[in-house]
């Protein structure tokens, strides 16, 4: 194909290209400089994984096809892949127009066909997108006018492409060494005639100028994500998702957390440029869903907007601090404290934005700089500091639950293979003490050598860290690491996903490296090895697993001791640590248990119980309580379930509260999966009550 | 032995703790009962000044004061002014070899200590120090207190509207709390009536304050108030750790619940498995009789 | 305004204290120490005054063993301006009156406008030092204070009493013994903690203060550990009326809490 640019028009084209890319480039340069206001975070670890992510998430668009976004995701992927192909064609057009050169391969029939097919796919997709925006807009979707501009620009691009292609064929400007592609071939007869040359030239110019307008306009809009997603995925965090960023040398710092825009890393600012405003994070947020003032998308966009608003000021004056992001609006702290750190937003984001890290960085500022955490949260922190547990129960009472159970401490049995890290909930909450006892009974029946730390155990600091008090977390974690190392601990079992996450993923930040296993993962493998034997008629069968010997009424159980048990995914087991299958496998191995799912909120889309992120110790008085919503979901999806099983003490407390609040104690009983196992253990008396 | 009792009056009558102090004084020696008189509100300082003057002249061996907030304040300043031994909040008291020997709690009730100090001494005594005698109490002699002066003037009294005459939750000796078992705010009268009979503060579980049945200030628990009363009565509260964290250090816990598995029943000193709506009105009636007899 | 807060370091309220073999004291090993709760509220009250009146300085003082330095650091971290430790031999067995006299010597030096302390320390639970300090200084005192405000030529002070508050006005210096308030004492900010770590805490020798440390004191003859919580009495299966009568009787005669 020969470009309709001769003589002066080459210069016009060159000037237009310079202008289009100049405007766009200036903006990009400015955005880049704003971004570099952030601190230098090294994101170059694990290059192979980064490359794989780039192929799968960016090129493969893998995160777009998640339910319930399958159709939309496919439409987006078609536009995206179309764009890649068409961009190649566009580069070819411009090179050809100015220098008369060609990109190799663009002259082939295959390329013409590909471009044509994608043009059709893109046209169909933007039609779908426009119709959806105009007539079927979901309530959480934010549609800026810019969105339509972009759709129109793309539409014009595609149409002009098809027109000049057809006219080019008609005017025989295109070499006919191959069968014309379907659309171009179809329209070619329509533009055949004396005006074909003119139509070709007109459409060609429209196309090229639209491309240039696009280049100028794009960096001013959220559509910059077309470009920024590439680095954003490449530099996504390769830490375990559950691990928050460590703050080094606290003693040497003067400010803590995100006091200014400079206290976010460059990558966190890149997140803002990359947000497509698709609202998937918001759709999945349990806080937003229950009427809290938190909207994860707004968290990301607010940070971006503040950067755009105050970027110039911050660049002019190195001493300027600007508005603290945690106080960007008056309600900002309430938004931040509403987060359960469940990571549903992070999971949902197609462009790998890290919402929770930003929220925690702003919480760190509020908690450590201003000591402005909600008073109840503050009290939990004081309790952790003074009593080693968030409830302020006595340190000395930590191992009282094990009285009379002959569970050795490491001091008594230093050669135990495993340390069972009990955690605060199972140590002090009477309901969860039954879970600890159940686990002890299981481990014992499997013949596993284990011990506890007893009074030497203290809170590992998970709530403190998530509330934003990194300092207290480090003190608590360090104290535990010292205790572990005193006994040369190598293997650790936890029954609490929060303990698991902190010890497995965060202790290494302070030099504590252990082989950590969540009880359900361990029990799964013990069952598979045949070391745990369960009987249909266990010694304490008929459903009194929660230590309710009085409640043995079979009305809650299916005939023959079968019962329907729904599984609730704890966020820190599931989304944060990708342990979805082991708890399910354990449930499936329990005789008489028929496992069901809380559709559609399970596995990656599991809905938080409301306790994470320190929310367990905070008031929740705005909107519906998250745990009550969870019970609603359970009842809607599995009204027949007589139990709801989980693998987390906090989920258990929250589910118990929700069931009680809704007066459903006689219909559905919250349990821990471990209790299901313990109740069916063969040949040993159940120690779970 | 000369024992003085500084009596505290409420609505013209000697307070019960003052009557008990009189009984104790009579048991220990020659009792004299005094009450403070002033034309306006007097400070503890003014009261102590007047009493110290009288005590220097009268030279008692022991001065007993009921351990009410006002009594403890007065007793402390008086002891300091006289330079005497001071023992506060004594649950038992005897005299041995010129020493006042008392049993009192320390470390917020976690330790029971026998302590002693040389006479003369000022001692504030807790309710229950002695059985009130059947005989009519002696008429108190009057000690005139000069208007405050000494750099401190009474300005005004500000009535607390919200709690009325109810004791503040954090300081109450008796707390009556209700939970979800009450089934609705319309049944709160059960809790209130019982609290009224006992002169108790009102508490609530988080479920109840969350549901808006009761104001948030009444919440007992990890996210509410921590209380350590002598008697905590929980009505229809299951006993999640959130609640236990706020009240488990209470000295005597009574829990009433229909569900025998409720965790609170397991830590209660008196665990009543019964229907609230039948039990509580009957219990309130019984207590009314007991309290009236006292 | 210049404020001075007197604090005492005591076992944290979550600690299960253990009585030593000789029954004269508690076992100090393994105890988490903290500022006595009412004293913490006194600090909070002083700091709130400072927040509202920027010219205010808040000093904090304790008479205690060297470990009490941690309590002072905590107070500094909360926002107090300076701290003083009075320590010496036998400081842990010092009586209330002697403690007050020692404090008075420092008050004479510092010349604060108001002295605040908690209404009682949660170890001996006596509630004596505040009043004794006021007496030694010859100042008035107000007990069970929840609020104070500087007013023309003095300070208005709110004292909690049954049914409300008495408002008193001190024309000169006074000692306030502070009650708990609705709001928890503040949690120190991390910069506050870091700054407090580096702050110099001057030490005064108890014996060299020149205070009369004699006078009557209270001797501990015996301490008993808290009685272990007995297994509760379960009452069920009966006529509610009968259960009610039984419980009322038990509370009165067995538990003796009515």
């Amino acid at each position: 194909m020969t470009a309709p640019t001769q003589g002066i028009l080459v210069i016009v084209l060159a000037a237009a290209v310079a202008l289009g890319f100049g405007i766009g480039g200036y903006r990009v340069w400015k955005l880049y400089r704003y971004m570099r206001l952030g601190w230098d975070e090294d994101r170059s670890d694990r290059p192979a994984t980064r490359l794989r992510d780039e192929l799968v998430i960016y090129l493969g668009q893998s995160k777009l096809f998640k339910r319930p976004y399958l159709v939309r995701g496919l439409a987006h992927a078609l536009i995206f892949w179309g764009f890649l192909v068409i961009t190649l064609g566009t580069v070819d057009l411009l090179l050809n127009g100015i220098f008369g050169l060609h990109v190799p391969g663009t002259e082939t029939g295959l390329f013409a066909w590909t471009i044509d097919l994608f043009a059709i796919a893109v046209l169909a997709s933007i039609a779908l997108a426009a119709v959806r925006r105009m007539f079927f807009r979901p309530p959480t979707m934010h549609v800026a006018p810019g969105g339509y501009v972009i759709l129109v620009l793309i539409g014009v691009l595609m149409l002009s492409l098809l027109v000049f292609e057809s006219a080019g064929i008609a005017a025989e400007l295109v070499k006919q060494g191959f069968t014309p592609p379907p659309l171009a071939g179809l329209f070619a007869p329509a533009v055949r005639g004396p005006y074909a040359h003119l139509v070709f030239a007109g459409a060609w110019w429209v196309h090229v100028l639209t491309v240039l307008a696009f280049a100028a306009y794009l960096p001013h809009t959220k559509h910059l994500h077309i470009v920024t997603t590439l680095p954003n995925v490449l530099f996504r965090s390769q830490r375990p998702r559950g691990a928050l960023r460590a703050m080094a040398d606290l003693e040497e710092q003067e400010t803590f957390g995100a006091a200014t825009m400079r206290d976010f890393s460059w990558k966190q600012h890149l997140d803002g440029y990359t947000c497509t405003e698709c609202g998937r994070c918001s759709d999945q947020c349990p806080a937003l869903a229950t009427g809290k003032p938190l909207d994860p998308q707004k968290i990301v966009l607010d940070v971006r907007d503040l950067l755009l608003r105050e970027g110039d000021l911050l660049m002019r004056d190195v001493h300027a601090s600007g508005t603290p992001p945690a106080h960007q609006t008056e309600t900002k702290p309430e938004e931040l404290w509403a987060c359960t750190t469940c990571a549903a937003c992070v999971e949902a984001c197609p462009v790998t934005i890290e919402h929770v890290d930003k929220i925690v960085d702003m919480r760190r500022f509020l908690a450590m700089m201003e000591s402005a955490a909600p008073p109840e949260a503050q009290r939990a922190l004081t309790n952790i500091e003074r009593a080693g547990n968030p409830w302020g129960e006595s340190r000395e009472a930590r191992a009282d639950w094990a009285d009379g159970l002959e569970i050795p401490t490491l001091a008594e049995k230093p050669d135990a293979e495993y340390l069972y890290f009990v955690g605060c909930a199972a140590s002090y909450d009477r309901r969860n003490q039954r879970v600890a006892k159940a686990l002890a009974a299981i481990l014992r029946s499997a013949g596993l050598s284990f011990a506890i730390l007893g009074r030497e155990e203290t809170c590992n600091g998970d709530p403190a860290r998530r509330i934003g008090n990194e300092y207290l977390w480090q003190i608590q974690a360090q104290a535990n690491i010292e205790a572990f190392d005193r006994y040369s601990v190598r293997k650790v079992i936890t029954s609490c996903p929060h303990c698991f996450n902190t010890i497995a993923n965060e202790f290494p930040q302070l030099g504590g490296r252990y082989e950590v296993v969540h009880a359900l993962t361990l029990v799964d493998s013990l069952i598979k090895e045949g070391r745990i034997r369960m009987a249909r008629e266990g010694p304490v069968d008929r459903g009194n697993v929660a230590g309710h010997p009085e409640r043995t009424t079979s009305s809650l159980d299916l005939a023959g001791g079968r019962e329907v048990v729904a599984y609730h995914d704890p966020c820190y087991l599931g989304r944060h640590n990708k342990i979805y299958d082991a708890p399910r496998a354990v449930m499936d191995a329990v005789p008489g248990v028929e496992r069901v799912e809380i559709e559609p909120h399970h596995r990656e889309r599991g809905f938080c119980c409301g306790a994470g992120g320190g929310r367990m110790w905070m008031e929740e008085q705005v909107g519906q309580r998250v745990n009550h919503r969870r019970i609603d979901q359970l009842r809607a999806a599995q009204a027949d379930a007589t139990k709801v099983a989980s693998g987390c003490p906090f989920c258990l407390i929250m589910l118990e509260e929700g069931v009680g609040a809704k007066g459903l104690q006689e219909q559905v009983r919250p349990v821990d999966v471990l209790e299901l196992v313990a109740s069916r253990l063969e040949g040993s008396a159940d120690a779970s009550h | 032995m000369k024992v003085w009792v500084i009596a505290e009056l409420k609505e013209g009558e000697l307070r019960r703790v003052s009557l008990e102090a009189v009984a104790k004084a009579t048991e220990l020696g020659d009792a004299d009962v005094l009450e403070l008189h002033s034309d306006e509100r007097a400070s503890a300082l003014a009261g102590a000044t007047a009493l110290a003057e009288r005590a220097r002249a009268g030279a008692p061996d022991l001065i007993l004061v009921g351990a009410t907030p006002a009594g403890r304040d007065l007793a402390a300043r008086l002891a300091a002014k006289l330079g005497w031994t001071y023992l506060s909040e004594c649950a038992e008291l005897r005299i041995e070899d010129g020493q006042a020997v008392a049993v009192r709690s320390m470390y917020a009730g976690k330790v029971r200590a026998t302590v002693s100090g040389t006479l003369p001494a000022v001692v504030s005594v807790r309710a229950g120090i002695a059985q009130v005698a059947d005989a009519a109490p002696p008429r108190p002699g009057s000690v005139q207190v000069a208007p405050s002066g000494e750099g401190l003037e009474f300005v005004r009294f500000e009535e607390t509207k919200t709690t009325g005459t109810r004791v503040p939750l954090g300081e109450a000796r008796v707390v009556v709390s209700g939970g979800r078992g009450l089934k609705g705010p319309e049944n709160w009268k059960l809790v209130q009536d019982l609290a009224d009979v006992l002169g108790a503060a009102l508490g609530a579980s988080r479920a109840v304050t969350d549901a808006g049945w009761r104001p948030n200030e009444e919440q007992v628990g990890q996210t509410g108030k921590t209380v350590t009363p002598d008697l905590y009565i929980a009505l229809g509260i299951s006993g999640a750790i959130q609640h236990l964290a706020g009240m488990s250090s209470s000295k005597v816990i009574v829990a009433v619940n229909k569900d025998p598995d409720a965790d609170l029943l397991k830590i209660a000193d008196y665990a009543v498995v019964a229907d609230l709506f039948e039990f509580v009105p009957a219990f309130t009636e019984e207590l009314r009789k007991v309290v009236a007899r006292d | 305004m210049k404020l001075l807060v007197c604090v005492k370091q005591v076992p944290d309220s979550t600690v299960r204290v253990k009585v030593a073999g000789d029954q004269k004291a508690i076992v100090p090993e393994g105890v988490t120490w903290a500022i006595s709760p009412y004293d913490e509220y006194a600090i909070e009250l002083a700091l709130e005054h400072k927040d509202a009146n920027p010219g205010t300085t808040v000093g904090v003082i304790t008479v205690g063993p060297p470990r009490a330095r941690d309590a002072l650091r905590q107070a500094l971290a909360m926002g107090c301006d300076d701290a003083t430790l009075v320590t010496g031999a036998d400081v842990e067995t010092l009586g209330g009156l002697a403690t007050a006299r020692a404090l008075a010597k420092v008050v004479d030096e510092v010349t604060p406008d108001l002295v605040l302390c908690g209404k009682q320390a949660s170890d001996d639970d006596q509630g004596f030092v505040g009043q004794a300090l006021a007496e030694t200084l010859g100042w008035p005192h107000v007990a069970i204070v929840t609020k104070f405000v500087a007013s023309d030529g003095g300070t208005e002070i709110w004292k909690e009493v049954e049914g409300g508050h008495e408002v008193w006005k001190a024309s000169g210096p006074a000692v306030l013994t502070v009650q708990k308030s609705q709001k928890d004492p503040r949690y120190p900010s991390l910069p506050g903690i870091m700054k407090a770590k580096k702050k110099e805490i001057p030490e005064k020798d108890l014996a060299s203060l020149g205070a009369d440390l004699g006078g009557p004191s209270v001797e501990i003859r015996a301490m008993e550990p808290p009685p272990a919580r007995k297994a509760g009495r379960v009452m069920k299966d009966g006529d509610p009326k009968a259960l009610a009568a039984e419980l009322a009787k038990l509370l009165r005669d067995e538990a003796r809490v009515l």
Side-chain angles (χ1 to χ4, degrees), chain A residues 387-409:
Chain A
N389 71 84
W391 289 286
E393 299 287 327
S394 176
R395 255 179 222 281
E396 291 80 9
R398 195 163 188 107
D400 285 5
W401 68 274
D403 279 352
L405 296 179
E406 290 166 19
I407 296 172
T409 59

Side-chain angles (χ1 to χ4, degrees), chain A residues 135-286:
Chain A
F135 305 112
F136 306 101
R137 180 192 303 178
T140 52
M141 188 181 190
H142 167 74
V143 180
Y148 289 111
V149 173
I150 291 284
L151 287 181
V152 168
L153 282 177
I154 299 175
V156 170
L157 272 182
M158 295 304 114
L159 286 172
S160 57
L161 174 82
L162 290 172
V163 170
F164 82 68
E165 212 175 24
S166 307
I169 291 167
E172 291 171 6
L173 290 167
V174 179
K175 283 179 218 149
Q176 290 291 339
F178 48 83
T179 321
L183 267 190
L186 200 67
F187 290 128
V191 288
R192 200 181 301 271
Y195 299 112
H197 274 91
L198 271 181
V199 173
F200 170 73
W204 193 94
W205 275 101
V206 167
H207 185 81
V208 167
L209 291 177
T210 308
V211 166
L212 297 176
F214 205 89
Y217 182 61
L218 189 78
H220 293 84
T221 69
K222 64 169 190 165
H223 299 275
L224 185 59
H225 77 263
I226 298 169
V227 181
T228 50
T229 301
L230 191 142
N232 210 54
V233 170
L234 187 64
F235 296 118
R236 72 188 291 221
S237 168
Q238 297 291 343
R239 289 195 306 270
R241 182 180 282 164
L244 290 171
R245 182 176 59 78
M247 295 175 71
D249 305 322
L250 283 180
E251 309 270 339
E252 310 303 322
Q253 311 292 319
E254 278 170 14
T255 59
F256 306 94
T260 76
M261 285 318 215
R262 293 193 176 90
D263 301 316
F264 288 118
S265 77
W266 63 269
K267 170 61 178 63
Q268 289 177 306
H269 289 315
L270 184 61
D271 272 357
Y273 297 159
T274 311
C275 177
T276 68
E277 302 177 27
C278 69
R280 291 182 183 203
C281 52
S282 309
D283 288 351
Q284 302 301 321
C285 176

Side-chain angles (χ1 to χ4, degrees), chain B residues 190 194 233 235 254-257 272-286, chain C residues 235 238-248:
Chain B
L190 287 180
L194 180 55
I233 302 182
L235 306 176
V254 173
V256 184
N257 211 308
V272 181
V273 183
D275 184 323
L276 280 182
F277 299 97
E278 294 174 11
F279 177 82
V280 176
F283 184 49
T284 305
E285 237 5 86
E286 284 298 326
Chain C
M235 304 165 67
D239 169 44
K241 270 197 147 52
L243 282 181
E246 191 190 345
L247 180 61

